[in-house]
Amino acid sequence: MSSHERIRFEHIVIDAEGPADPHIKAVGDINGDGIPEVIIPSSRGGPLVWYEYPNWTKHVIAPAGNWSCYARVLDMDGDGDGDILISDWSANNRIEWYENPLPDGNPAVDPWKRHIIGGPRAHDMTWVILTGMGV
């Protein structure tokens, strides 16, 4: 491709009936297939969901919440799968993480365990690997 060619993008609506007021959007490999999925939480009492590529099948992680500022897919418990670290700032002012049912379960159908890290002031977050083991 020359430097004068335009890159074309395709606009795709994943879910016209998605979570209300989705202030956060995140991407990461949820099902372990090496392809990033899309994670969308509601900031107004709706669900936290993930959409599975390639058909953008919706899967519910948590049925209701008020997540508002930050989310990241990363391996919180060191078992090799993508968990979700998320800010529940608007309602409970805390940080939560949702444990992916992998490697033994199926993230599309099995329950995700919620862990409350705490607060207060769980607004903007960043993360760092402190073990020296890499990212």
Side-chain angles (χ1 to χ4, degrees):
M1 173 170 19
S2 78
S3 61
H4 300 288
E5 291 183 49
R6 292 181 181 230
I7 298 173
R8 296 189 182 268
F9 292 92
E10 181 180 356
H11 180 238
I12 298 172
V13 175
I14 293 175
D15 184 1
E17 303 289 323
D21 292 334
H23 293 188
I24 304 168
K25 295 91 180 166
V27 295
D29 186 9
I30 297 296
N31 59 8
D33 66 357
I35 300 170
E37 277 76 41
V38 176
I39 296 86
I40 307 286
S42 172
S43 67
R44 194 174 46 165
L48 166 60
V49 301
W50 68 280
Y51 296 92
E52 186 174 13
Y53 181 84
N55 298 319
W56 304 117
T57 304
K58 183 194 297 188
H59 304 286
V60 176
I61 295 169
N66 294 289
W67 304 279
S68 63
C69 300
Y70 178 91
R72 176 115 188 196
V73 178
L74 62 148
D75 187 2
M76 292 291 292
D77 53 0
D79 64 357
D81 56 50
D83 304 305
I84 298 174
L85 177 68
I86 193 163
S87 168
D88 183 6
W89 179 73
S90 65
N92 296 305
N93 196 18
R94 65 185 181 202
I95 300 168
E96 301 173 344
W97 72 276
Y98 287 84
E99 185 177 346
N100 191 325
L102 286 174
D104 298 323
N106 181 342
V109 296
D110 292 334
W112 289 60
K113 182 178 179 182
R114 180 180 70 183
H115 301 268
I116 298 172
I117 296 175
R121 311 310 312 156
H123 194 276
D124 297 318
M125 300 185 297
T126 191
W127 63 276
V128 178
I129 301 295
L130 297 174
T131 63
M133 301 300 291
V135 179

